[in-house]
Amino acid sequence: MGQDKETIRNILRQRKEMQTPEERFERSRRICAHLMKMIQPNETVMVYTSKEKEVNTIPLIRMLLAYKNPVVVPIIQKEDYSLRLSYIEDMGVLIPSTFGVPEPIGNEIPADGADIDTIILPMLGFDRRGGRIGYGAGYYDRFLSKYPSIRKIGIAFACQEMEALPLDPHDIPMDAIITEDGVIFKRG
Protein backbone atom coordinates (compact mmCIF):
# COMPACT_ATOMS: atom_id res chain seq x y z
CA MET A 1 0.00 0.00 0.00
CA GLY A 2 1.21 3.53 -0.80
CA GLN A 3 1.29 6.47 1.54
CA ASP A 4 -1.41 6.87 4.12
CA LYS A 5 -3.92 9.69 3.96
CA GLU A 6 -2.27 11.82 6.64
CA THR A 7 1.08 11.79 4.80
CA ILE A 8 -0.72 12.72 1.58
CA ARG A 9 -2.63 15.52 3.33
CA ASN A 10 0.65 17.00 4.55
CA ILE A 11 2.18 16.90 1.05
CA LEU A 12 -0.93 18.53 -0.39
CA ARG A 13 -1.05 21.24 2.28
CA GLN A 14 2.56 22.17 1.49
CA ARG A 15 1.80 22.37 -2.24
CA LYS A 16 -1.15 24.64 -1.55
CA GLU A 17 0.96 26.87 0.72
CA MET A 18 3.52 27.43 -2.03
CA GLN A 19 1.17 29.45 -4.20
CA THR A 20 1.22 33.24 -3.89
CA PRO A 21 -2.06 35.03 -3.12
CA GLU A 22 -1.97 36.47 -6.67
CA GLU A 23 -1.61 33.00 -8.21
CA ARG A 24 -4.44 31.72 -6.03
CA PHE A 25 -6.72 34.58 -7.03
CA GLU A 26 -6.02 34.27 -10.76
CA ARG A 27 -6.35 30.46 -10.73
CA SER A 28 -9.55 30.71 -8.69
CA ARG A 29 -11.00 33.12 -11.25
CA ARG A 30 -10.25 30.64 -14.05
CA ILE A 31 -11.76 27.75 -12.07
CA CYS A 32 -14.95 29.78 -11.52
CA ALA A 33 -15.19 30.58 -15.24
CA HIS A 34 -14.86 26.87 -16.18
CA LEU A 35 -17.40 26.00 -13.51
CA MET A 36 -20.06 28.48 -14.64
CA LYS A 37 -20.20 26.70 -18.01
CA MET A 38 -21.46 23.60 -16.18
CA ILE A 39 -24.22 25.31 -14.20
CA GLN A 40 -27.75 25.46 -15.62
CA PRO A 41 -30.12 28.42 -15.17
CA ASN A 42 -32.32 28.01 -12.04
CA GLU A 43 -30.18 25.15 -10.77
CA THR A 44 -29.80 25.25 -6.96
CA VAL A 45 -26.10 25.21 -6.18
CA MET A 46 -24.52 24.50 -2.82
CA VAL A 47 -21.05 25.99 -2.63
CA TYR A 48 -18.50 26.09 0.15
CA THR A 49 -17.29 29.50 1.33
CA SER A 50 -13.53 29.51 0.96
CA LYS A 51 -10.85 30.03 3.55
CA GLU A 52 -7.64 31.82 2.68
CA LYS A 53 -5.63 29.03 1.02
CA GLU A 54 -8.51 27.34 -0.82
CA VAL A 55 -9.89 27.97 -4.29
CA ASN A 56 -11.62 31.32 -3.77
CA THR A 57 -15.36 30.79 -4.28
CA ILE A 58 -16.38 34.44 -3.77
CA PRO A 59 -16.34 35.21 -7.54
CA LEU A 60 -18.41 32.07 -8.12
CA ILE A 61 -21.02 32.95 -5.49
CA ARG A 62 -21.25 36.51 -6.89
CA MET A 63 -21.78 35.14 -10.43
CA LEU A 64 -24.42 32.65 -9.30
CA LEU A 65 -26.30 35.38 -7.42
CA ALA A 66 -26.07 37.68 -10.46
CA TYR A 67 -27.55 34.90 -12.62
CA LYS A 68 -30.32 34.45 -10.01
CA ASN A 69 -29.35 30.84 -9.23
CA PRO A 70 -30.44 29.83 -5.72
CA VAL A 71 -27.22 29.54 -3.70
CA VAL A 72 -26.86 27.43 -0.55
CA VAL A 73 -23.84 27.54 1.76
CA PRO A 74 -22.90 25.01 4.45
CA ILE A 75 -22.59 25.90 8.13
CA ILE A 76 -20.27 23.60 10.06
CA GLN A 77 -21.70 21.99 13.19
CA LYS A 78 -18.70 20.82 15.15
CA GLU A 79 -20.79 19.02 17.79
CA ASP A 80 -21.92 16.24 15.45
CA TYR A 81 -19.66 16.81 12.42
CA SER A 82 -22.65 17.72 10.29
CA LEU A 83 -23.50 20.55 7.92
CA ARG A 84 -26.44 22.90 8.40
CA LEU A 85 -27.58 24.55 5.17
CA SER A 86 -28.56 28.14 4.51
CA TYR A 87 -29.55 30.03 1.39
CA ILE A 88 -27.54 33.17 0.82
CA GLU A 89 -28.86 36.19 -1.07
CA ASP A 90 -26.17 38.71 -0.21
CA MET A 91 -22.40 38.32 0.26
CA GLY A 92 -22.46 40.84 3.09
CA VAL A 93 -23.93 38.32 5.54
CA LEU A 94 -20.82 36.11 5.51
CA ILE A 95 -18.66 36.40 8.62
CA PRO A 96 -15.67 34.24 9.62
CA SER A 97 -16.90 31.45 11.90
CA THR A 98 -15.89 27.84 12.69
CA PHE A 99 -12.31 27.10 11.48
CA GLY A 100 -12.30 30.64 10.00
CA VAL A 101 -14.88 29.64 7.39
CA PRO A 102 -17.21 32.51 6.38
CA GLU A 103 -20.82 31.66 7.35
CA PRO A 104 -24.12 33.59 7.33
CA ILE A 105 -24.39 33.56 11.12
CA GLY A 106 -27.45 35.48 12.28
CA ASN A 107 -28.78 35.69 8.73
CA GLU A 108 -29.66 32.09 8.06
CA ILE A 109 -32.36 31.12 5.58
CA PRO A 110 -32.75 27.37 6.21
CA ALA A 111 -32.29 25.15 3.17
CA ASP A 112 -33.01 21.46 2.59
CA GLY A 113 -30.42 19.11 1.09
CA ALA A 114 -33.17 17.55 -1.03
CA ASP A 115 -33.50 20.82 -3.00
CA ILE A 116 -29.85 20.95 -4.09
CA ASP A 117 -29.00 20.07 -7.70
CA THR A 118 -25.23 20.53 -7.63
CA ILE A 119 -22.68 20.81 -4.84
CA ILE A 120 -19.28 22.46 -5.26
CA LEU A 121 -16.81 20.77 -2.92
CA PRO A 122 -13.45 21.85 -1.57
CA MET A 123 -10.70 19.29 -2.07
CA LEU A 124 -7.32 19.02 -0.48
CA GLY A 125 -6.36 16.60 -3.26
CA PHE A 126 -7.79 14.64 -6.16
CA ASP A 127 -6.92 12.10 -8.82
CA ARG A 128 -8.15 11.67 -12.37
CA ARG A 129 -10.54 8.86 -11.46
CA GLY A 130 -12.79 11.26 -9.59
CA GLY A 131 -11.18 10.56 -6.22
CA ARG A 132 -11.28 13.35 -3.64
CA ILE A 133 -9.41 13.73 -0.38
CA GLY A 134 -10.82 16.27 2.05
CA TYR A 135 -9.50 17.67 5.29
CA GLY A 136 -10.32 14.53 7.23
CA ALA A 137 -13.36 15.44 9.32
CA GLY A 138 -15.81 13.83 6.90
CA TYR A 139 -18.45 16.60 6.92
CA TYR A 140 -19.10 16.31 3.20
CA ASP A 141 -18.94 12.52 3.00
CA ARG A 142 -21.63 12.31 5.69
CA PHE A 143 -23.78 14.90 3.96
CA LEU A 144 -23.41 13.32 0.51
CA SER A 145 -24.23 9.83 1.74
CA LYS A 146 -27.65 11.24 2.71
CA TYR A 147 -28.22 12.84 -0.69
CA PRO A 148 -26.63 10.55 -3.29
CA SER A 149 -28.38 12.13 -6.29
CA ILE A 150 -26.74 15.57 -5.96
CA ARG A 151 -24.23 16.24 -8.74
CA LYS A 152 -20.80 16.56 -7.11
CA ILE A 153 -18.19 18.89 -8.59
CA GLY A 154 -14.84 19.11 -6.82
CA ILE A 155 -12.66 22.16 -7.38
CA ALA A 156 -8.94 22.43 -6.67
CA PHE A 157 -5.74 23.90 -7.99
CA ALA A 158 -3.87 21.78 -10.55
CA CYS A 159 -0.97 21.40 -8.09
CA GLN A 160 -3.27 19.36 -5.81
CA GLU A 161 -3.45 16.43 -8.22
CA MET A 162 -2.16 13.06 -7.03
CA GLU A 163 -1.51 10.01 -9.18
CA ALA A 164 -3.94 7.78 -7.30
CA LEU A 165 -5.49 8.46 -3.93
CA PRO A 166 -5.99 5.65 -1.40
CA LEU A 167 -9.79 5.73 -1.17
CA ASP A 168 -11.90 4.13 1.55
CA PRO A 169 -15.35 2.65 0.92
CA HIS A 170 -17.01 5.72 2.52
CA ASP A 171 -15.11 8.16 0.26
CA ILE A 172 -17.59 9.46 -2.28
CA PRO A 173 -16.27 9.93 -5.82
CA MET A 174 -16.85 13.19 -7.71
CA ASP A 175 -18.96 13.52 -10.85
CA ALA A 176 -16.59 16.17 -12.17
CA ILE A 177 -13.32 17.81 -11.13
CA ILE A 178 -12.26 21.27 -12.26
CA THR A 179 -8.91 23.01 -11.93
CA GLU A 180 -7.63 26.23 -13.50
CA ASP A 181 -6.81 24.07 -16.56
CA GLY A 182 -10.47 23.19 -17.11
CA VAL A 183 -12.62 20.11 -16.54
CA ILE A 184 -10.04 17.40 -15.94
CA PHE A 185 -12.48 14.63 -14.97
CA LYS A 186 -16.11 14.02 -15.86
CA ARG A 187 -18.03 10.86 -15.07
CA GLY A 188 -19.84 9.15 -17.91
Side-chain angles (χ1 to χ4, degrees):
M1 189 61 200
Q3 296 155 313
D4 65 68
K5 280 192 176 175
E6 223 23 71
T7 312
I8 290 171
R9 282 197 178 98
N10 289 331
I11 295 168
L12 290 164
R13 279 194 196 97
Q14 283 165 347
R15 284 193 198 166
K16 221 166 51 162
E17 298 283 326
M18 285 165 69
Q19 300 184 97
T20 67
E22 295 74 31
E23 285 171 331
R24 268 199 291 273
F25 187 77
E26 178 50 34
R27 289 168 184 167
S28 296
R29 206 184 50 72
R30 284 174 22 213
I31 289 167
C32 292
H34 293 306
L35 195 45
M36 283 307 290
K37 295 184 192 130
M38 293 182 74
I39 304 293
Q40 307 301 313
N42 301 320
E43 200 179 349
T44 298
V45 182
M46 176 171 160
V47 56
Y48 74 96
T49 51
S50 49
K51 300 186 292 201
E52 186 195 355
K53 303 279 166 66
E54 294 177 312
V55 173
N56 186 334
T57 55
I58 300 301
L60 175 67
I61 295 171
R62 286 212 170 101
M63 272 191 250
L64 288 168
L65 291 174
Y67 283 109
K68 303 276 187 273
N69 281 79
V71 179
V72 174
V73 296
I75 296 166
I76 294 166
Q77 304 196 122
K78 272 209 294 220
E79 311 73 56
D80 62 353
Y81 291 102
S82 71
L83 297 172
R84 199 162 75 238
L85 310 183
S86 172
Y87 285 102
I88 177 176
E89 293 168 352
D90 164 24
M91 298 297 290
V93 300
L94 293 174
I95 50 173
S97 178
T98 315
F99 306 128
V101 174
E103 297 179 338
I105 306 300
N107 287 283
E108 285 182 51
I109 307 166
D112 182 346
D115 297 331
I116 293 163
D117 299 304
T118 293
I119 179 172
I120 310 302
L121 291 113
M123 302 191 293
L124 189 52
F126 64 91
D127 62 27
R128 290 196 179 230
R129 301 170 307 176
R132 165 187 181 267
I133 188 168
Y135 296 93
Y139 288 98
Y140 285 100
D141 287 322
R142 277 189 200 79
F143 174 76
L144 292 170
S145 64
K146 276 191 239 156
Y147 302 101
S149 62
I150 298 178
R151 178 173 65 148
K152 298 165 277 297
I153 303 178
I155 59 176
F157 300 115
C159 66
Q160 293 168 261
E161 180 177 340
M162 297 293 277
E163 179 102 1
L165 291 171
L167 298 176
D168 299 321
H170 65 262
D171 289 325
I172 293 173
M174 299 295 99
D175 295 310
I177 291 175
I178 296 177
T179 71
E180 65 267 28
D181 300 329
V183 180
I184 64 136
F185 171 81
K186 198 159 184 249
R187 193 167 301 290

